Amino acid sequence: DRAIRKYLVDILKELGRKQILMIGRHISDSRWYVVRNIITILGESGSEEALPYMEKVTDHKQLQIRQEVVKGLINIGGKKAAVLLTRFVNDPDFDVQLSAIRGLTVVHGAGRTEAKALTDFLENRPVKKKENTLTIEIIKVLAKIGDRDAAEFLKRYLRIRWWRARAPQAELKAMAEPAIEEIKRRVGDAGRAS
């Protein structure tokens, strides 16, 4: 019964804040929905103690589990969670990728390492209309967490190549210019401005 299951999960969320080890031991259960519920509880605990358990299922074949891991990592936050979020940039599911990328803008602790993972992802990414959604989201994230290397990387989008479709290139250029300026402003004042 879904209603009873939700009620039990809500109770476990309250208890789970102090019982990470006990709950985390069940992360390898063969029932995907049990694992998803465990991840939900661990994620809502907000505790970094939950991260090793969540890391074990970052490449789980069940989509719902990966989605829940991303939500949990965003909720927990911190440098370790940010590093784990970058693993989902290459996820086979577009929505998981997008959630993880957007999550990096709100997770405290995301910085140079995560920016490098994002630029590595973009390195050989084609500039095409259907590919631009993730590229644009990454540019937005780099504006918030990127460093000088990220700003230098983004300059590749400022040049329009005549042999490629113009509209997708112009779209990325329009995103890259303010992102570069934002990085320069933020790096210039050593991150003091909000």
Side-chain angles (χ1 to χ4, degrees), residues 20-34:
I20 303 291
L21 181 63
M22 181 184 76
I23 292 170
R25 277 190 248 149
H26 300 283
I27 201 78
S28 58
D29 196 284
S30 61
R31 298 165 292 180
W32 71 267
Y33 54 89
V34 171

Side-chain angles (χ1 to χ4, degrees), residues 2-3 55 70 74 102 105 109 130 139-140 143 150 156 179 192:
R2 189 177 197 166
E55 183 175 12
V70 169
I74 292 168
R102 288 179 174 165
T105 61
K130 69 177 193 169
I139 291 171
K140 290 177 186 176
R156 69 178 36 205
R192 288 186 297 274

Side-chain angles (χ1 to χ4, degrees), residues 158-176:
L158 302 181
R159 294 181 295 279
I160 303 289
R161 312 255 195 277
W162 63 268
W163 64 89
R164 291 186 182 161
R166 188 168 181 81
Q169 292 184 82
E171 185 179 33
L172 295 182
K173 180 180 180 184
M175 295 303 297

Side-chain angles (χ1 to χ4, degrees), residues 53-64:
Y53 300 107
M54 297 177 96
E55 183 175 12
K56 290 179 182 180
V57 292
T58 55
D59 60 350
H60 199 281
K61 66 182 180 199
Q62 193 67 37
L63 172 63
Q64 293 89 335

Side-chain angles (χ1 to χ4, degrees), residues 44-192:
E44 292 200 13
S45 74
S47 171
E48 279 196 1
E49 291 177 53
L51 293 176
Y53 300 107
M54 297 177 96
E55 183 175 12
K56 290 179 182 180
V57 292
T58 55
D59 60 350
H60 199 281
K61 66 182 180 199
Q62 193 67 37
L63 172 63
Q64 293 89 335
I65 291 173
R66 297 194 316 273
Q67 289 171 329
E68 204 57 47
V69 171
V70 169
K71 287 182 204 169
L73 292 172
I74 292 168
N75 189 53
I76 292 170
K79 182 66 175 172
K80 292 176 185 174
V83 169
L84 288 176
L85 270 177
T86 61
R87 290 187 183 184
F88 292 98
V89 171
N90 292 304
D91 194 88
D93 184 77
F94 175 82
D95 291 329
V96 171
Q97 288 178 304
L98 192 59
S99 295
I101 291 165
R102 288 179 174 165
L104 287 168
T105 61
V106 295
V107 170
H108 295 291
R112 177 177 226 159
T113 307
E114 294 71 33
K116 175 72 170 115
L118 294 175
T119 57
D120 287 349
F121 175 77
L122 291 178
E123 185 66 44
N124 295 311
R125 190 164 176 79
V127 177
K128 295 181 179 174
K129 185 68 176 164
K130 69 177 193 169
E131 307 287 338
N132 275 5
T133 303
L134 284 181
T135 304
I136 288 169
E137 288 301 319
I138 290 173
I139 291 171
K140 290 177 186 176
V141 174
L142 291 174
K144 293 188 179 209
I145 69 168
D147 57 0
R148 285 188 172 96
D149 292 340
E152 199 59 39
F153 177 87
L154 290 175
K155 288 181 181 177
R156 69 178 36 205
Y157 298 113
L158 302 181
R159 294 181 295 279
I160 303 289
R161 312 255 195 277
W162 63 268
W163 64 89
R164 291 186 182 161
R166 188 168 181 81
Q169 292 184 82
E171 185 179 33
L172 295 182
K173 180 180 180 184
M175 295 303 297
E177 286 174 329
I180 292 167
E181 290 307 311
E182 175 62 19
I183 292 169
K184 285 180 182 176
R185 183 196 61 76
R186 197 170 27 77
V187 170
D189 69 3
R192 288 186 297 274

